[in-house]
Amino acid sequence: MKKIITFLFCSSLTFVSSSVNAFCFNEAGEKYNISPLLLAAMAYTESSFNSKAINSANTNKSVDYGLMQINTFWLPHLKKMNISKEDLIDDACLNVHVGAWVLAQNFKQNGENWQSVGAYNAGFRIKAQSARDRYISMVKANLEYIKNNLS
């Protein structure tokens, strides 16, 4: 049922760019045991569903790529899987899978909770708590919006 609802949300409201569809969120969610709706809310929070988004305005000089805004921090790990920054921009579905993988790493490290979701954007450092809280608030609002517009 959740898969059908996600498809209806993504296709009928056309919030997702043409280069990615609900299947990507469903597939990644299933693979990593993460709600596809949460992944969609995070993608909207990160890039407004812009699969070509590049953010180079990070204070630590890192860059974020694609739909899920995968940070350059992950590139050494992704290189071992033959995934490049170009792949993250050119393949929106792959980008969703990498984003789900990153979130799954957070869940393994700190449990399946909102702090782990917030760390997707701000990391786990104690000093980053206010940034985590802001991100959590945005993701929750987007998730609520998605859920409310499914009926």
Side-chain angles (χ1 to χ4, degrees), residues 81-95:
M81 296 181 257
N82 294 317
I83 298 172
S84 68
K85 65 182 176 185
E86 292 79 17
D87 295 329
L88 295 173
I89 296 166
D90 294 339
D91 188 340
C93 202
L94 174 66
N95 194 287

Side-chain angles (χ1 to χ4, degrees), residues 3-108:
K3 289 180 182 181
I4 293 169
I5 290 171
T6 305
F7 174 77
L8 291 173
F9 163 74
C10 293
S11 62
S12 67
L13 297 179
T14 62
F15 284 154
V16 179
S17 78
S18 60
S19 59
V20 68
N21 60 42
F23 175 75
C24 297
F25 293 104
N26 290 330
E27 187 180 63
E30 192 171 303
K31 181 174 182 177
Y32 293 101
N33 198 30
I34 298 170
S35 163
L37 296 177
L38 175 59
L39 292 173
M42 290 174 65
Y44 188 75
T45 303
E46 288 290 337
S47 69
S48 299
F49 290 129
N50 178 357
S51 63
K52 302 295 185 185
I54 298 174
N55 175 25
S56 57
N58 296 327
T59 57
N60 65 0
K61 309 275 192 244
S62 66
V63 179
D64 304 320
Y65 296 102
L67 195 72
M68 299 291 287
Q69 291 290 275
I70 307 303
N71 190 272
T72 51
F73 168 83
W74 294 105
L75 290 179
H77 303 281
L78 298 175
K79 187 175 181 180
K80 295 173 188 172
M81 296 181 257
N82 294 317
I83 298 172
S84 68
K85 65 182 176 185
E86 292 79 17
D87 295 329
L88 295 173
I89 296 166
D90 294 339
D91 188 340
C93 202
L94 174 66
N95 194 287
V96 171
H97 277 263
V98 172
W101 174 79
V102 169
L103 184 58
Q105 302 308 304
N106 289 358
F107 286 165
K108 283 180 191 173

